[in-house]
Amino acid sequence: MQARTTGAPGPLLDLICHPAGSAGPVARLTVSAFRPEPSVLALDYVVSGDMARVLLPRWTARSRADDLWRHTCFEAFIRSDTGPGYHEINLSPSGQWAVYGFDAYRQGQVPSAGVESDALVRAFDETHVAVSAVLWLERLNGLNPAAPWSIGLSAVIEAIDGTIAYWALAHPSDTPDFHHPDSFTLTLPPPEPA
């Protein structure tokens, strides 16, 4: 199985399961994130473990959908500048995706219009699931393409027994909270001019 389907040259980062929960059937969850162009974000998520015990939504068509985070879903939270606003990206192994804008911490959620997603792909076998996407984000308000982006990377993994595990680069609170400002631990600078 090809683990990096977008060819992301970014470092491979390990997500950690929230300590209040159980990793369940997942042995490891990694992600690579990079900016191939100033307003483009490429993401590669790979889950390793007993995939027969992970509940994966059926592949549908690449399309926008709400409430993807209620089941197995890969997420990125992104902001630039110093204001409180940020954006949430949801990528489902079903092929569905969504992007939302927030004015401040969990306030003013609105679907973000004008975002394009390409190359949302899923690959899997008995021990791995990989989900990759390339997103064009130039129309997102408050996301400066010339500035570094602060990013929080996370995932929700649903087991077939209905339990949910919450994975992220950092867990700054006692309960899972991917929106927490201290979850934005990765900094991605814009690519250098060619």
Side-chain angles (χ1 to χ4, degrees):
M1 182 180 86
Q2 183 179 353
R4 290 180 162 198
T5 50
T6 65
L12 199 58
L13 305 167
D14 280 295
L15 300 186
I16 55 174
C17 186
H18 193 278
S22 166
V26 176
R28 186 176 185 203
L29 205 159
T30 61
V31 61
S32 177
F34 86 112
R35 293 170 64 182
E37 298 176 26
S39 294
V40 176
L41 179 64
L43 299 164
D44 284 312
Y45 290 86
V46 178
V47 182
S48 304
D50 183 359
M51 292 303 105
R53 292 177 47 216
V54 173
L55 187 58
L56 293 174
R58 284 187 163 171
W59 181 263
T60 58
R62 289 186 189 111
S63 60
R64 295 180 74 109
D66 293 321
D67 295 327
L68 298 174
W69 56 270
R70 294 185 182 274
H71 302 284
T72 298
C73 181
F74 304 94
E75 301 183 347
F77 293 79
I78 182 170
R79 69 178 179 218
S80 65
D81 303 322
T82 57
Y86 62 96
H87 299 275
E88 174 184 354
I89 297 167
N90 298 158
L91 305 170
S92 171
S94 68
Q96 296 175 308
W97 58 280
V99 180
Y100 304 97
F102 292 82
D103 296 330
Y105 175 68
R106 293 189 176 272
Q107 295 179 8
Q109 177 183 348
V110 295
S112 298
V115 174
E116 299 294 329
S117 174
D118 192 17
L120 178 57
V121 297
R122 172 177 92 168
F124 64 94
D125 59 27
E126 298 82 23
T127 60
H128 296 86
V129 170
V131 172
S132 300
V134 178
L135 297 119
W136 280 260
L137 306 175
E138 63 268 359
R139 294 183 188 164
L140 292 184
N141 291 334
L143 196 58
N144 183 347
W149 292 350
S150 296
I151 297 180
L153 298 169
S154 53
V156 174
I157 305 295
E158 183 178 13
I160 59 170
D161 65 5
T163 58
I164 302 230
Y166 299 92
W167 294 75
L169 287 174
H171 295 286
S173 58
D174 292 340
T175 57
D177 185 359
F178 301 152
H179 292 255
H180 193 287
D182 292 339
S183 294
F184 293 72
T185 60
L186 177 66
T187 300
L188 289 182
E192 295 185 15

